PDB file of all heavy atoms in Angstrom:
ATOM      1  N   LEU A1064      49.705  61.085  57.816  1.00  0.00           N
ATOM      2  CA  LEU A1064      50.034  60.105  56.931  1.00  0.00           C
ATOM      3  C   LEU A1064      49.026  58.794  56.863  1.00  0.00           C
ATOM      4  O   LEU A1064      48.728  58.186  55.835  1.00  0.00           O
ATOM      5  CB  LEU A1064      51.536  59.460  57.237  1.00  0.00           C
ATOM      6  CG  LEU A1064      52.432  60.545  56.912  1.00  0.00           C
ATOM      7  CD1 LEU A1064      53.873  60.028  57.270  1.00  0.00           C
ATOM      8  CD2 LEU A1064      52.624  61.106  55.447  1.00  0.00           C
ATOM      9  N   PHE A1065      48.637  58.515  58.031  1.00  0.00           N
ATOM     10  CA  PHE A1065      47.597  57.530  58.229  1.00  0.00           C
ATOM     11  C   PHE A1065      46.291  57.855  57.637  1.00  0.00           C
ATOM     12  O   PHE A1065      45.708  56.944  56.783  1.00  0.00           O
ATOM     13  CB  PHE A1065      47.377  57.112  59.713  1.00  0.00           C
ATOM     14  CG  PHE A1065      46.315  56.099  59.871  1.00  0.00           C
ATOM     15  CD1 PHE A1065      46.448  54.862  59.604  1.00  0.00           C
ATOM     16  CD2 PHE A1065      45.002  56.492  60.381  1.00  0.00           C
ATOM     17  CE1 PHE A1065      45.409  53.875  59.848  1.00  0.00           C
ATOM     18  CE2 PHE A1065      43.953  55.658  60.622  1.00  0.00           C
ATOM     19  CZ  PHE A1065      44.157  54.428  60.264  1.00  0.00           C
ATOM     20  N   ARG A1066      45.754  59.089  57.812  1.00  0.00           N
ATOM     21  CA  ARG A1066      44.564  59.534  57.121  1.00  0.00           C
ATOM     22  C   ARG A1066      44.724  59.576  55.487  1.00  0.00           C
ATOM     23  O   ARG A1066      43.764  59.168  54.802  1.00  0.00           O
ATOM     24  CB  ARG A1066      44.152  60.985  57.702  1.00  0.00           C
ATOM     25  CG  ARG A1066      43.997  60.971  59.122  1.00  0.00           C
ATOM     26  CD  ARG A1066      42.835  60.323  59.728  1.00  0.00           C
ATOM     27  NE  ARG A1066      42.731  60.506  61.040  1.00  0.00           N
ATOM     28  CZ  ARG A1066      41.800  59.886  61.898  1.00  0.00           C
ATOM     29  NH1 ARG A1066      40.842  59.047  61.156  1.00  0.00           N
ATOM     30  NH2 ARG A1066      41.776  59.979  63.160  1.00  0.00           N
ATOM     31  N   ARG A1067      45.888  60.025  55.099  1.00  0.00           N
ATOM     32  CA  ARG A1067      46.035  60.327  53.674  1.00  0.00           C
ATOM     33  C   ARG A1067      46.353  58.993  52.903  1.00  0.00           C
ATOM     34  O   ARG A1067      45.702  58.747  51.947  1.00  0.00           O
ATOM     35  CB  ARG A1067      47.269  61.247  53.518  1.00  0.00           C
ATOM     36  CG  ARG A1067      47.592  61.575  52.000  1.00  0.00           C
ATOM     37  CD  ARG A1067      46.504  62.330  51.425  1.00  0.00           C
ATOM     38  NE  ARG A1067      46.776  62.594  50.024  1.00  0.00           N
ATOM     39  CZ  ARG A1067      46.528  61.836  49.001  1.00  0.00           C
ATOM     40  NH1 ARG A1067      46.030  60.644  49.222  1.00  0.00           N
ATOM     41  NH2 ARG A1067      46.918  62.058  47.735  1.00  0.00           N
ATOM     42  N   TYR A1068      47.206  58.111  53.413  1.00  0.00           N
ATOM     43  CA  TYR A1068      47.499  56.937  52.636  1.00  0.00           C
ATOM     44  C   TYR A1068      46.932  55.654  53.172  1.00  0.00           C
ATOM     45  O   TYR A1068      46.686  54.736  52.444  1.00  0.00           O
ATOM     46  CB  TYR A1068      49.060  56.877  52.666  1.00  0.00           C
ATOM     47  CG  TYR A1068      49.751  58.066  51.948  1.00  0.00           C
ATOM     48  CD1 TYR A1068      50.356  58.881  52.685  1.00  0.00           C
ATOM     49  CD2 TYR A1068      49.864  58.130  50.544  1.00  0.00           C
ATOM     50  CE1 TYR A1068      50.978  59.957  52.117  1.00  0.00           C
ATOM     51  CE2 TYR A1068      50.429  59.146  50.009  1.00  0.00           C
ATOM     52  CZ  TYR A1068      51.085  60.098  50.799  1.00  0.00           C
ATOM     53  OH  TYR A1068      51.629  61.155  50.220  1.00  0.00           O
ATOM     54  N   GLY A1069      46.761  55.647  54.538  1.00  0.00           N
ATOM     55  CA  GLY A1069      45.985  54.476  55.051  1.00  0.00           C
ATOM     56  C   GLY A1069      44.534  54.488  54.786  1.00  0.00           C
ATOM     57  O   GLY A1069      44.121  53.314  54.388  1.00  0.00           O
ATOM     58  N   GLN A1070      43.862  55.492  54.918  1.00  0.00           N
ATOM     59  CA  GLN A1070      42.455  55.583  54.731  1.00  0.00           C
ATOM     60  C   GLN A1070      42.061  56.108  53.327  1.00  0.00           C
ATOM     61  O   GLN A1070      40.991  56.215  52.982  1.00  0.00           O
ATOM     62  CB  GLN A1070      41.729  56.472  55.643  1.00  0.00           C
ATOM     63  CG  GLN A1070      41.898  55.891  57.149  1.00  0.00           C
ATOM     64  CD  GLN A1070      41.230  56.789  58.162  1.00  0.00           C
ATOM     65  OE1 GLN A1070      40.816  57.870  57.962  1.00  0.00           O
ATOM     66  NE2 GLN A1070      41.175  56.219  59.455  1.00  0.00           N
ATOM     67  N   GLY A1071      43.052  56.619  52.517  1.00  0.00           N
ATOM     68  CA  GLY A1071      42.805  57.144  51.256  1.00  0.00           C
ATOM     69  C   GLY A1071      42.193  58.478  51.161  1.00  0.00           C
ATOM     70  O   GLY A1071      41.646  58.740  50.087  1.00  0.00           O
ATOM     71  N   ARG A1072      42.133  59.220  52.052  1.00  0.00           N
ATOM     72  CA  ARG A1072      41.547  60.556  52.029  1.00  0.00           C
ATOM     73  C   ARG A1072      42.417  61.498  51.361  1.00  0.00           C
ATOM     74  O   ARG A1072      43.655  61.373  51.472  1.00  0.00           O
ATOM     75  CB  ARG A1072      41.134  60.927  53.480  1.00  0.00           C
ATOM     76  CG  ARG A1072      40.159  59.995  54.149  1.00  0.00           C
ATOM     77  CD  ARG A1072      39.645  60.433  55.483  1.00  0.00           C
ATOM     78  NE  ARG A1072      38.691  59.487  56.062  1.00  0.00           N
ATOM     79  CZ  ARG A1072      38.152  59.805  57.204  1.00  0.00           C
ATOM     80  NH1 ARG A1072      38.278  60.966  57.870  1.00  0.00           N
ATOM     81  NH2 ARG A1072      37.382  58.883  57.720  1.00  0.00           N
TER      82      ARG A1072
END
Side-chain angles (χ1 to χ4, degrees):
L1064 294 177
F1065 173 75
R1066 304 289 182 183
R1067 178 68 178 84
Y1068 299 102
Q1070 296 180 354
R1072 300 184 180 185

